[in-house]
Structure formats: structure tokens, C-alpha cells
Amino acid sequence: MANFFRDENVRGFIFYKGKSPIDNAPIVGIATLESKNGKTGNMIQTWILREDMHPLAARATGADRAYCGDCPMHAECYIEWGKAPANVWKTFARGGYMDLRRKPALMRRIVMGRMVRLGAAGDPAMIPLQYWLRLLETAEGWTGYTHQWREPWAQPMRELCMSSVETAADADIARAMGWRTFRVKTKAQPIAKHEIECPADKGRQCIACGACDGALKPSAASVVIVVHGPKAKAFEKAHA
């Protein structure tokens, strides 16, 4: 078992700053080291946010497109932007995270042996693949999802991310493009032969599962989950 990095003064770090491929707005990639998320378990969580704007302000004005893109689930988003993402951004804004963009050795030490969640908030495809590979070099594994799977500039992320889809038709298109898929479905919709039920539905945490790690193994099954959360009724109605 890896000897995990421990320093009570280190809550997280900056691993990326750059421009959004959507609108050239300034975005930042932040990794936080501890999580109480019951679904994922204590994975390193990564956040893709506007560098210059509180997440609630970005969402209210549409500026969140810089890191969410044209997400079809925008109205039904399960993320509580005024909570964890807001806290991460406020810590960043006051200089509370180390900038490790030029300190790869320390980044590797911190991430070594850990599971990493790509995009606790924001879409991982907004950050180029090379920066994720650098972050994940010593990780035990990762999970990642993107709604940008149709975009030409997002195609390299097939290596690390599942394509997030909400219909069987989109799942077929994404798979034809070389993506493994993570499909949200209604209770009544069937599961395809190439899909497996998300183990989270039976209580298994992502940190112990790791199935949603992209298309490094293209033959691996895709994953499907029954819609859940406060927006589930709206999704069921829209996809009935």
C-alpha cells in the first residue's frame, strides 16, 4: 500500500491555469485532497472553475459555459454550486492552494497511490489531456466523465473519460466514435448488452470500483445508472 502524503497545512493545489476551449475565458484546475463524498469515497477531487468569477455568479450569467460547455443537463445539474465548488473557489481566491504547476515532483508525491476524480465540478475536457496525464502519473486510478464528447478538441480525453450521455441513440454515436459511455436512464429504460449497471446503485463507492476510467480498454463495458437526486423527476418526464 502506498504511503499517502499527509500534511495538515496542505488542503489542495493548483495544477492548471489556462483558457477555456469554449470561449477563451480564464479557467483554473484545482485538486483537493480530502473528501467526505459518500458516493465516491475519499478520492482526490478536481475542480474546473472560472479563475475570475464565483461559481454562483458564473452560473447566473451563463459564464459557467467556460467550464461546463453546452451541457444538456445544465438545468438538471446535480451539483450544488453554492456549497463545495463555492468553497473551493473562495479558498483559491484568497490564495489558499499551493501552485504546483512547476513543481511536478511534489505533485507526484501528493497524488501517489490515490484515486482521483476528474471533475467534481466542471467538465474535465476543458483542460488538455497532457495536464491530466501529468496529474495522474503516480495515481492509483481515476474516474472521469465529459459531455463534450462530440467536440473535435475533446477527442483526446477518450483515454481518461467516459462520454456522458442521456439517450441510447447518443450512446451508440459515442461508442462509434471510440468512447466508452456512462448513460443516465429512466427506471423503465432497458440496459443494453454492452452496458453494466453502475455499482454505486448497490452501494459500492467509486474509489473501490474505478470502472469509469475511459477507453484505455475500448472493449470494456460501458456503464448505466438510473437517474437519481433532486432533479430525477424532471429527467424522467423529459425522457419518458
Side-chain angles (χ1 to χ4, degrees):
M1 182 178 293
N3 294 316
F4 291 166
F5 178 91
R6 289 288 182 266
D7 185 331
E8 62 183 15
N9 295 315
V10 180
R11 302 174 59 186
F13 60 87
I14 299 163
F15 67 93
Y16 177 79
K17 284 186 180 181
K19 293 183 178 180
S20 166
I22 293 285
D23 59 6
N24 287 323
I27 59 173
V28 60
I30 299 166
T32 55
L33 306 187
E34 300 296 328
S35 174
K36 296 181 180 179
N37 187 306
K39 180 179 181 294
T40 67
N42 189 26
M43 301 173 70
I44 291 177
Q45 308 279 327
T46 62
W47 314 79
I48 304 96
L49 302 169
R50 282 282 296 246
E51 184 178 349
D52 60 343
M53 190 178 296
H54 189 288
L56 287 182
R59 187 165 175 81
T61 60
D64 61 343
R65 186 168 180 265
Y67 51 79
C68 288
D70 297 313
C71 177
M73 296 293 287
H74 191 271
E76 291 85 31
C77 184
Y78 66 89
I79 296 173
E80 297 182 88
W81 290 95
K83 294 186 177 181
N87 291 334
V88 169
W89 186 86
K90 286 188 286 187
T91 300
F92 161 74
R94 65 173 181 263
Y97 296 122
M98 297 186 301
D99 188 342
L100 297 189
R101 289 177 295 162
R102 295 187 179 183
K103 297 181 179 179
L106 181 54
M107 189 186 302
R108 288 193 295 268
R109 182 184 169 203
I110 292 172
V111 176
M112 185 177 294
R114 297 288 303 275
M115 290 287 289
V116 181
R117 181 187 183 190
L118 279 57
D123 194 301
M126 299 305 177
I127 295 177
L129 175 66
Q130 68 195 73
Y131 296 97
W132 289 114
L133 293 177
R134 187 184 187 201
L135 175 70
L136 298 171
E137 186 175 348
T138 57
E140 175 72 18
W142 64 88
T143 62
Y145 312 87
T146 178
H147 270 110
Q148 312 308 309
W149 55 270
R150 294 178 186 271
E151 300 291 346
W153 45 263
Q155 298 312 305
M157 290 301 291
R158 288 179 299 189
E159 183 174 335
L160 303 180
C161 289
M162 312 290 280
S163 62
S164 289
V165 297
E166 289 73 46
T167 67
D170 276 355
D172 288 343
I173 294 170
R175 285 178 61 81
M177 293 172 63
W179 294 85
R180 289 177 62 222
T181 63
F182 185 87
R183 180 168 68 93
V184 179
K185 79 176 194 71
T186 67
K187 293 179 180 178
Q189 290 171 338
I191 296 174
K193 291 182 179 180
H194 59 264
E195 293 175 328
I196 60 170
E197 292 183 78
C198 177
D201 280 344
K202 297 181 180 179
R204 192 178 187 193
Q205 292 182 315
C206 300
I207 193 171
C209 176
C212 294
D213 59 355
L216 281 174
K217 298 178 181 178
S219 62
S222 289
V223 182
V224 64
I225 193 169
V226 175
V227 65
H228 57 281
K231 304 291 182 131
K233 288 184 179 181
F235 182 91
E236 289 271 359
K237 184 177 180 180
H239 294 84

